[in-house]
Amino acid sequence: MPFKFYFNVFFFVFCSFLLQAQTDGFAEFEMDQLGIKKYQPNWTMGATDSLFVEISNGQKYLLHTIRAGQTLYSIKKFYGVDLSDIYYSNPNISNTNDLKVGEKLRIPILSKAIKRFQETNFDATAYIPIFYKVRPSETMYRISKVYFRLPTEILMSRNQLLSENISSNQVLHIGWIDKNGIPDSLKNFTGLPGILGEESQKNKYRYEAVFNGKNEKTLQGTACWDKAMELSAKNKLYVMCSYVPKNGIVRIENPMTNRELYAKVVAAKPENSFTQKSIIVLTPTVAHALGGLDARFYVKVHYCQ
């Protein structure tokens, strides 16, 4: 056989070995004859595991207990959310190094990601049970009808209750999620949850108070932010912009992720080499909430005059 043939065979085997070796210890790749077929976390949850769901400002969160070897990337894949969803739902988390085994992450989810009903051939071993802890003054009607859109009688039967009377801290079995992760059809959470969602809504009211349908202007250009700055609860929806007076409100849109929010202007944009050619400076919270993980990304800024 010619040397070129052996070289090609060696090169193919070597590349295949490298590709398999490139897993980072937290994920594995399924391969087919065309190459990488799909990414999967190398951990699954068994039917003996369970998760709690909590509700804050109308947003549902699963409480995920961090296991050894898990990263933000493997967790986001399992639950089908963006890294930015995890970041602004857990303001004290800024990178993988912040994860501690045994601690809990709040994972925002869509309501339809929770399986509420059992089909005829339902296999409980293929799912993880989801529970909810009753808060003071909550009623069976509110939890079943408002929170989870379940018939009251089904929720009572599922929890072997003879009446609608419930008490604070009582644990209710609500439904299930697939132990292999949330299916693609139920992924792509893109909301602005929790405290940030409430803050954006308040800013929106202030914005609309001066917006009459005629005096709104739009800028298109680059937003910048300091990726070295830590993400924390102190980083609210603040921006620096020279087109709007201090304490004014702007509506910022990221066309690439179809996300928008309302933020408060705390100062004029500083003029230096980093901010040059940008129209607005963001805090890390605003950047992550918009889904902009690069230090500079394209935005539309709407403001009123």
Side-chain angles (χ1 to χ4, degrees), residues 274-288:
F274 178 71
T275 65
Q276 190 176 20
K277 296 183 179 181
S278 65
I279 61 174
I280 194 168
V281 179
L282 315 176
T283 60
T285 297
V286 174
H288 283 301

Side-chain angles (χ1 to χ4, degrees), residues 88-285:
Y88 61 63
S89 298
N90 303 272
N92 294 324
I93 299 294
S94 60
N95 55 60
T96 299
N97 295 329
D98 292 333
L99 300 185
K100 296 180 176 60
V101 174
E103 290 190 345
K104 294 187 182 298
L105 284 180
R106 298 205 318 170
I107 308 295
I109 62 164
L110 297 171
S111 296
K112 62 183 181 179
I114 299 176
K115 186 177 184 63
R116 296 168 298 154
F117 304 99
Q118 295 177 310
E119 306 93 351
T120 304
N121 298 322
F122 179 77
D123 180 7
T125 63
Y127 294 91
I128 309 160
I130 303 297
F131 296 93
Y132 179 78
K133 182 178 287 188
V134 178
R135 295 178 294 189
S137 302
E138 288 184 329
T139 64
M140 173 64 73
Y141 179 87
R142 172 170 288 275
I143 294 171
S144 61
K145 297 287 189 177
V146 179
Y147 292 168
F148 299 103
R149 297 183 181 179
L150 268 171
T152 302
E153 56 272 19
I154 288 182
L155 188 58
M156 291 174 57
S157 174
R158 188 167 294 167
N159 291 276
Q160 300 179 346
L161 299 176
L162 300 178
S163 74
E164 295 186 15
N165 296 327
I166 54 176
S167 57
S168 179
N169 294 322
Q170 184 173 345
V171 174
L172 298 175
H173 178 200
I174 299 298
W176 304 262
I177 66 168
D178 192 313
K179 72 175 184 180
N180 294 312
I182 295 177
D184 290 340
S185 59
L186 302 179
K187 293 184 177 182
N188 298 324
F189 174 86
T190 56
L192 187 65
I195 295 174
L196 290 184
E198 185 177 5
E199 183 181 352
S200 181
Q201 189 65 34
K202 290 179 180 178
N203 289 338
K204 180 181 179 181
Y205 293 148
R206 292 180 55 194
Y207 184 89
E208 292 179 343
V210 297
F211 173 62
N212 60 17
K214 298 179 180 179
N215 61 350
E216 186 180 49
K217 295 188 176 182
T218 301
L219 292 170
Q220 301 184 44
T222 301
C224 65
W225 61 289
D226 185 359
K227 295 190 69 172
M229 184 177 177
E230 292 186 1
L231 187 74
S232 72
K234 296 179 180 179
N235 300 142
K236 296 188 177 181
L237 299 183
Y238 294 155
V239 299
M240 291 185 285
C241 180
S242 300
Y243 298 94
V244 179
K246 183 179 178 180
N247 296 323
I249 303 296
V250 293
R251 177 166 65 93
I252 312 172
E253 176 187 354
N254 182 352
M256 295 297 294
T257 60
N258 293 320
R259 296 188 181 191
E260 72 169 22
L261 55 79
Y262 293 79
K264 179 180 179 180
V265 177
V266 295
K269 179 177 73 74
E271 298 298 332
N272 53 50
S273 58
F274 178 71
T275 65
Q276 190 176 20
K277 296 183 179 181
S278 65
I279 61 174
I280 194 168
V281 179
L282 315 176
T283 60
T285 297

Side-chain angles (χ1 to χ4, degrees), residues 36-53:
I36 298 174
K37 182 161 65 174
K38 64 179 181 178
Y39 173 99
Q40 289 186 330
N42 67 0
W43 55 274
T44 58
M45 301 182 74
T48 57
D49 293 319
S50 62
L51 289 168
F52 274 79
V53 60

